[in-house]
PDB file of all heavy atoms in Angstrom:
ATOM      1  N   THR A  22     -10.339 -44.993  11.915  1.00 90.00           N
ATOM      2  CA  THR A  22     -10.135 -45.429  13.298  1.00 90.00           C
ATOM      3  C   THR A  22     -11.340 -45.615  14.063  1.00 90.00           C
ATOM      4  O   THR A  22     -12.400 -45.262  13.705  1.00 90.00           O
ATOM      5  CB  THR A  22      -9.206 -44.408  13.984  1.00 90.00           C
ATOM      6  OG1 THR A  22     -10.018 -43.166  14.162  1.00 90.00           O
ATOM      7  CG2 THR A  22      -8.011 -44.027  13.341  1.00 90.00           C
ATOM      8  N   LYS A  23     -11.260 -46.316  15.183  1.00 92.00           N
ATOM      9  CA  LYS A  23     -12.369 -46.693  16.119  1.00 92.00           C
ATOM     10  C   LYS A  23     -13.103 -45.462  16.563  1.00 92.00           C
ATOM     11  O   LYS A  23     -14.388 -45.406  16.575  1.00 92.00           O
ATOM     12  CB  LYS A  23     -11.866 -47.511  17.248  1.00 92.00           C
ATOM     13  CG  LYS A  23     -13.093 -48.178  17.985  1.00 92.00           C
ATOM     14  CD  LYS A  23     -13.580 -49.255  17.077  1.00 92.00           C
ATOM     15  CE  LYS A  23     -14.164 -50.325  17.890  1.00 92.00           C
ATOM     16  NZ  LYS A  23     -14.698 -51.487  17.161  1.00 92.00           N
ATOM     17  N   PRO A  24     -12.368 -44.397  17.015  1.00 93.00           N
ATOM     18  CA  PRO A  24     -13.239 -43.173  17.385  1.00 93.00           C
ATOM     19  C   PRO A  24     -13.968 -42.564  16.298  1.00 93.00           C
ATOM     20  O   PRO A  24     -15.079 -42.022  16.455  1.00 93.00           O
ATOM     21  CB  PRO A  24     -12.223 -42.195  17.932  1.00 93.00           C
ATOM     22  CG  PRO A  24     -10.941 -43.009  18.389  1.00 93.00           C
ATOM     23  CD  PRO A  24     -10.971 -44.282  17.437  1.00 93.00           C
ATOM     24  N   LEU A  28     -17.946 -42.014  16.085  1.00 94.00           N
ATOM     25  CA  LEU A  28     -18.584 -40.625  15.714  1.00 94.00           C
ATOM     26  C   LEU A  28     -19.582 -40.790  14.621  1.00 94.00           C
ATOM     27  O   LEU A  28     -20.684 -40.194  14.625  1.00 94.00           O
ATOM     28  CB  LEU A  28     -17.518 -39.628  15.501  1.00 94.00           C
ATOM     29  CG  LEU A  28     -18.001 -38.225  15.036  1.00 94.00           C
ATOM     30  CD1 LEU A  28     -18.729 -37.616  16.191  1.00 94.00           C
ATOM     31  CD2 LEU A  28     -16.878 -37.450  14.504  1.00 94.00           C
ATOM     32  N   ILE A  29     -19.173 -41.495  13.564  1.00 94.00           N
ATOM     33  CA  ILE A  29     -20.044 -41.642  12.457  1.00 94.00           C
ATOM     34  C   ILE A  29     -21.352 -42.380  12.820  1.00 94.00           C
ATOM     35  O   ILE A  29     -22.340 -42.141  12.338  1.00 94.00           O
ATOM     36  CB  ILE A  29     -19.260 -42.398  11.264  1.00 94.00           C
ATOM     37  CG1 ILE A  29     -18.217 -41.480  10.625  1.00 94.00           C
ATOM     38  CG2 ILE A  29     -20.266 -42.815  10.123  1.00 94.00           C
ATOM     39  CD1 ILE A  29     -17.283 -42.008   9.888  1.00 94.00           C
ATOM     40  N   THR A  33     -24.987 -41.064  12.540  1.00 94.00           N
ATOM     41  CA  THR A  33     -25.988 -41.702  11.731  1.00 94.00           C
ATOM     42  C   THR A  33     -27.210 -41.953  12.626  1.00 94.00           C
ATOM     43  O   THR A  33     -28.388 -41.849  12.157  1.00 94.00           O
ATOM     44  CB  THR A  33     -25.394 -42.956  11.324  1.00 94.00           C
ATOM     45  OG1 THR A  33     -24.205 -42.713  10.438  1.00 94.00           O
ATOM     46  CG2 THR A  33     -26.348 -43.770  10.386  1.00 94.00           C
ATOM     47  N   ILE A  36     -29.238 -38.853  12.812  1.00 88.00           N
ATOM     48  CA  ILE A  36     -29.928 -38.505  11.650  1.00 88.00           C
ATOM     49  C   ILE A  36     -31.240 -39.413  11.451  1.00 88.00           C
ATOM     50  O   ILE A  36     -32.270 -38.941  11.151  1.00 88.00           O
ATOM     51  CB  ILE A  36     -28.977 -38.701  10.431  1.00 88.00           C
ATOM     52  CG1 ILE A  36     -27.838 -37.702  10.483  1.00 88.00           C
ATOM     53  CG2 ILE A  36     -29.812 -38.683   9.172  1.00 88.00           C
ATOM     54  CD1 ILE A  36     -28.260 -36.243  10.393  1.00 88.00           C
ATOM     55  N   ILE A  37     -31.170 -40.596  12.107  1.00 89.00           N
ATOM     56  CA  ILE A  37     -32.352 -41.374  11.948  1.00 89.00           C
ATOM     57  C   ILE A  37     -33.296 -41.170  13.117  1.00 89.00           C
ATOM     58  O   ILE A  37     -34.454 -41.199  12.764  1.00 89.00           O
ATOM     59  CB  ILE A  37     -31.844 -42.989  12.204  1.00 89.00           C
ATOM     60  CG1 ILE A  37     -30.842 -43.395  11.080  1.00 89.00           C
ATOM     61  CG2 ILE A  37     -33.014 -43.983  12.109  1.00 89.00           C
ATOM     62  CD1 ILE A  37     -31.271 -43.112   9.711  1.00 89.00           C
ATOM     63  N   VAL A  38     -32.860 -40.804  14.263  1.00 88.00           N
ATOM     64  CA  VAL A  38     -33.803 -40.633  15.353  1.00 88.00           C
ATOM     65  C   VAL A  38     -34.350 -39.198  15.364  1.00 88.00           C
ATOM     66  O   VAL A  38     -35.498 -39.129  15.819  1.00 88.00           O
ATOM     67  CB  VAL A  38     -33.064 -40.942  16.704  1.00 88.00           C
ATOM     68  CG1 VAL A  38     -33.787 -40.521  18.029  1.00 88.00           C
ATOM     69  CG2 VAL A  38     -32.697 -42.450  16.751  1.00 88.00           C
ATOM     70  N   PHE A  47     -39.776 -31.477  20.401  1.00 76.00           N
ATOM     71  CA  PHE A  47     -39.435 -30.002  20.395  1.00 76.00           C
ATOM     72  C   PHE A  47     -40.625 -29.203  20.068  1.00 76.00           C
ATOM     73  O   PHE A  47     -40.976 -28.224  20.730  1.00 76.00           O
ATOM     74  CB  PHE A  47     -38.282 -29.673  19.503  1.00 76.00           C
ATOM     75  CG  PHE A  47     -38.141 -28.204  19.373  1.00 76.00           C
ATOM     76  CD1 PHE A  47     -37.495 -27.397  20.286  1.00 76.00           C
ATOM     77  CD2 PHE A  47     -38.469 -27.531  18.118  1.00 76.00           C
ATOM     78  CE1 PHE A  47     -37.460 -26.035  20.167  1.00 76.00           C
ATOM     79  CE2 PHE A  47     -38.305 -26.254  17.949  1.00 76.00           C
ATOM     80  CZ  PHE A  47     -37.800 -25.420  18.999  1.00 76.00           C
ATOM     81  N   MET A  52     -45.328 -25.928  22.003  1.00 76.00           N
ATOM     82  CA  MET A  52     -46.704 -25.569  22.118  1.00 76.00           C
ATOM     83  C   MET A  52     -47.161 -25.458  23.584  1.00 76.00           C
ATOM     84  O   MET A  52     -48.407 -25.111  23.809  1.00 76.00           O
ATOM     85  CB  MET A  52     -47.630 -26.568  21.282  1.00 76.00           C
ATOM     86  CG  MET A  52     -47.396 -26.458  19.789  1.00 76.00           C
ATOM     87  SD  MET A  52     -48.602 -27.514  19.014  1.00 76.00           S
ATOM     88  CE  MET A  52     -47.460 -28.582  18.387  1.00 76.00           C
ATOM     89  N   ALA A  58     -51.732 -21.440  28.519  1.00 70.00           N
ATOM     90  CA  ALA A  58     -52.316 -20.160  28.607  1.00 70.00           C
ATOM     91  C   ALA A  58     -53.848 -20.298  28.243  1.00 70.00           C
ATOM     92  O   ALA A  58     -54.815 -19.596  28.700  1.00 70.00           O
ATOM     93  CB  ALA A  58     -51.763 -19.184  27.657  1.00 70.00           C
ATOM     94  N   LEU A  65     -45.297 -23.511  32.580  1.00 54.00           N
ATOM     95  CA  LEU A  65     -43.857 -23.244  32.308  1.00 54.00           C
ATOM     96  C   LEU A  65     -43.554 -21.641  32.368  1.00 54.00           C
ATOM     97  O   LEU A  65     -44.359 -20.923  31.916  1.00 54.00           O
ATOM     98  CB  LEU A  65     -43.577 -23.653  30.961  1.00 54.00           C
ATOM     99  CG  LEU A  65     -43.493 -25.139  30.701  1.00 54.00           C
ATOM    100  CD1 LEU A  65     -43.179 -25.476  29.176  1.00 54.00           C
ATOM    101  CD2 LEU A  65     -42.640 -26.021  31.491  1.00 54.00           C
ATOM    102  N   PRO A  79     -30.651 -23.717  17.441  1.00 84.00           N
ATOM    103  CA  PRO A  79     -29.376 -23.961  16.746  1.00 84.00           C
ATOM    104  C   PRO A  79     -29.189 -25.414  16.339  1.00 84.00           C
ATOM    105  O   PRO A  79     -28.660 -25.742  15.240  1.00 84.00           O
ATOM    106  CB  PRO A  79     -28.300 -23.513  17.677  1.00 84.00           C
ATOM    107  CG  PRO A  79     -28.997 -22.560  18.575  1.00 84.00           C
ATOM    108  CD  PRO A  79     -30.351 -23.008  18.762  1.00 84.00           C
ATOM    109  N   VAL A  80     -29.620 -26.335  17.184  1.00 80.00           N
ATOM    110  CA  VAL A  80     -29.536 -27.771  16.878  1.00 80.00           C
ATOM    111  C   VAL A  80     -30.374 -27.987  15.691  1.00 80.00           C
ATOM    112  O   VAL A  80     -29.968 -28.762  14.698  1.00 80.00           O
ATOM    113  CB  VAL A  80     -29.844 -28.642  18.125  1.00 80.00           C
ATOM    114  CG1 VAL A  80     -29.977 -30.093  17.660  1.00 80.00           C
ATOM    115  CG2 VAL A  80     -28.880 -28.471  19.218  1.00 80.00           C
ATOM    116  N   PHE A  82     -31.410 -26.055  13.320  1.00 88.00           N
ATOM    117  CA  PHE A  82     -30.748 -25.279  12.144  1.00 88.00           C
ATOM    118  C   PHE A  82     -29.562 -26.109  11.601  1.00 88.00           C
ATOM    119  O   PHE A  82     -29.254 -26.056  10.476  1.00 88.00           O
ATOM    120  CB  PHE A  82     -30.407 -23.833  12.499  1.00 88.00           C
ATOM    121  CG  PHE A  82     -31.591 -22.978  12.589  1.00 88.00           C
ATOM    122  CD1 PHE A  82     -31.656 -22.008  13.501  1.00 88.00           C
ATOM    123  CD2 PHE A  82     -32.702 -23.088  11.600  1.00 88.00           C
ATOM    124  CE1 PHE A  82     -32.700 -21.173  13.641  1.00 88.00           C
ATOM    125  CE2 PHE A  82     -33.767 -22.222  11.735  1.00 88.00           C
ATOM    126  CZ  PHE A  82     -33.878 -21.286  12.752  1.00 88.00           C
ATOM    127  N   PHE A  84     -29.003 -29.345  11.841  1.00 87.00           N
ATOM    128  CA  PHE A  84     -29.427 -30.711  11.437  1.00 87.00           C
ATOM    129  C   PHE A  84     -29.295 -30.959  10.062  1.00 87.00           C
ATOM    130  O   PHE A  84     -28.684 -31.831   9.542  1.00 87.00           O
ATOM    131  CB  PHE A  84     -30.854 -31.080  11.969  1.00 87.00           C
ATOM    132  CG  PHE A  84     -31.389 -32.394  11.513  1.00 87.00           C
ATOM    133  CD1 PHE A  84     -30.866 -33.395  12.296  1.00 87.00           C
ATOM    134  CD2 PHE A  84     -32.217 -32.516  10.544  1.00 87.00           C
ATOM    135  CE1 PHE A  84     -31.345 -34.706  11.857  1.00 87.00           C
ATOM    136  CE2 PHE A  84     -32.699 -33.692  10.004  1.00 87.00           C
ATOM    137  CZ  PHE A  84     -32.224 -34.916  10.795  1.00 87.00           C
ATOM    138  N   LEU A  89     -26.406 -33.497   5.416  1.00 92.00           N
ATOM    139  CA  LEU A  89     -25.773 -33.449   4.115  1.00 92.00           C
ATOM    140  C   LEU A  89     -24.300 -33.833   4.211  1.00 92.00           C
ATOM    141  O   LEU A  89     -23.904 -34.639   3.374  1.00 92.00           O
ATOM    142  CB  LEU A  89     -25.839 -31.964   3.593  1.00 92.00           C
ATOM    143  CG  LEU A  89     -25.238 -31.697   2.221  1.00 92.00           C
ATOM    144  CD1 LEU A  89     -25.851 -32.451   1.175  1.00 92.00           C
ATOM    145  CD2 LEU A  89     -25.257 -30.188   2.013  1.00 92.00           C
ATOM    146  N   GLN A  92     -24.179 -37.704   4.447  1.00 91.00           N
ATOM    147  CA  GLN A  92     -24.467 -38.275   3.203  1.00 91.00           C
ATOM    148  C   GLN A  92     -23.377 -38.108   2.149  1.00 91.00           C
ATOM    149  O   GLN A  92     -22.942 -39.015   1.448  1.00 91.00           O
ATOM    150  CB  GLN A  92     -25.768 -37.744   2.520  1.00 91.00           C
ATOM    151  CG  GLN A  92     -27.010 -38.292   3.202  1.00 91.00           C
ATOM    152  CD  GLN A  92     -28.235 -37.821   2.450  1.00 91.00           C
ATOM    153  OE1 GLN A  92     -28.460 -36.544   2.220  1.00 91.00           O
ATOM    154  NE2 GLN A  92     -29.148 -38.652   2.255  1.00 91.00           N
ATOM    155  N   HIS A  98     -17.235 -42.647   0.720  1.00 93.00           N
ATOM    156  CA  HIS A  98     -16.866 -44.033   1.237  1.00 93.00           C
ATOM    157  C   HIS A  98     -17.396 -45.135   0.402  1.00 93.00           C
ATOM    158  O   HIS A  98     -16.633 -46.121   0.066  1.00 93.00           O
ATOM    159  CB  HIS A  98     -17.221 -44.156   2.592  1.00 93.00           C
ATOM    160  CG  HIS A  98     -16.565 -45.325   3.372  1.00 93.00           C
ATOM    161  ND1 HIS A  98     -16.936 -46.528   3.368  1.00 93.00           N
ATOM    162  CD2 HIS A  98     -15.527 -45.244   4.140  1.00 93.00           C
ATOM    163  CE1 HIS A  98     -16.183 -47.367   3.959  1.00 93.00           C
ATOM    164  NE2 HIS A  98     -15.224 -46.518   4.626  1.00 93.00           N
ATOM    165  N   LEU A 112     -26.458 -49.826  -5.547  1.00 93.00           N
ATOM    166  CA  LEU A 112     -27.630 -49.877  -4.657  1.00 93.00           C
ATOM    167  C   LEU A 112     -27.388 -49.136  -3.323  1.00 93.00           C
ATOM    168  O   LEU A 112     -28.403 -48.472  -2.900  1.00 93.00           O
ATOM    169  CB  LEU A 112     -27.987 -51.364  -4.412  1.00 93.00           C
ATOM    170  CG  LEU A 112     -28.572 -52.242  -5.477  1.00 93.00           C
ATOM    171  CD1 LEU A 112     -28.628 -53.682  -5.143  1.00 93.00           C
ATOM    172  CD2 LEU A 112     -29.906 -51.656  -5.921  1.00 93.00           C
ATOM    173  N   GLY A 116     -29.471 -45.948  -2.174  1.00 91.00           N
ATOM    174  CA  GLY A 116     -30.075 -46.003  -0.863  1.00 91.00           C
ATOM    175  C   GLY A 116     -29.643 -44.830   0.004  1.00 91.00           C
ATOM    176  O   GLY A 116     -30.479 -44.298   0.798  1.00 91.00           O
ATOM    177  N   GLY A 124     -30.703 -46.998   4.161  1.00 92.00           N
ATOM    178  CA  GLY A 124     -29.426 -47.178   3.534  1.00 92.00           C
ATOM    179  C   GLY A 124     -28.271 -46.885   4.295  1.00 92.00           C
ATOM    180  O   GLY A 124     -27.160 -47.619   4.319  1.00 92.00           O
ATOM    181  N   ILE A 130     -23.377 -50.498   9.323  1.00 93.00           N
ATOM    182  CA  ILE A 130     -23.198 -51.789  10.051  1.00 93.00           C
ATOM    183  C   ILE A 130     -22.369 -52.829   9.179  1.00 93.00           C
ATOM    184  O   ILE A 130     -21.493 -53.538   9.683  1.00 93.00           O
ATOM    185  CB  ILE A 130     -24.495 -52.387  10.415  1.00 93.00           C
ATOM    186  CG1 ILE A 130     -25.187 -51.499  11.496  1.00 93.00           C
ATOM    187  CG2 ILE A 130     -24.410 -53.852  10.977  1.00 93.00           C
ATOM    188  CD1 ILE A 130     -26.598 -51.865  11.786  1.00 93.00           C
ATOM    189  N   PRO A 138     -17.040 -56.993   4.369  1.00 58.00           N
ATOM    190  CA  PRO A 138     -17.202 -58.514   4.492  1.00 58.00           C
ATOM    191  C   PRO A 138     -15.942 -59.187   4.700  1.00 58.00           C
ATOM    192  O   PRO A 138     -14.885 -58.693   4.130  1.00 58.00           O
ATOM    193  CB  PRO A 138     -17.935 -58.932   3.190  1.00 58.00           C
ATOM    194  CG  PRO A 138     -17.556 -57.923   2.108  1.00 58.00           C
ATOM    195  CD  PRO A 138     -17.338 -56.555   2.941  1.00 58.00           C
ATOM    196  N   GLU A 143     -10.426 -70.217   2.016  1.00 52.00           N
ATOM    197  CA  GLU A 143     -10.580 -71.314   1.044  1.00 52.00           C
ATOM    198  C   GLU A 143     -10.383 -72.689   1.842  1.00 52.00           C
ATOM    199  O   GLU A 143      -9.371 -72.899   2.561  1.00 52.00           O
ATOM    200  CB  GLU A 143      -9.558 -71.182  -0.068  1.00 52.00           C
ATOM    201  CG  GLU A 143      -9.889 -70.064  -1.026  1.00 52.00           C
ATOM    202  CD  GLU A 143      -8.949 -70.080  -2.151  1.00 52.00           C
ATOM    203  OE1 GLU A 143      -8.486 -71.165  -2.548  1.00 52.00           O
ATOM    204  OE2 GLU A 143      -8.662 -68.873  -2.680  1.00 52.00           O
TER     205      GLU A 143
END
Side-chain angles (χ1 to χ4, degrees):
T22 62
K23 195 70 152 184
L28 177 66
I29 292 168
T33 303
I36 295 300
I37 303 305
V38 170
F47 170 73
M52 287 188 254
L65 294 174
V80 170
F82 286 140
F84 178 79
L89 178 65
Q92 281 184 315
H98 196 276
L112 290 175
I130 292 169
E143 291 186 25

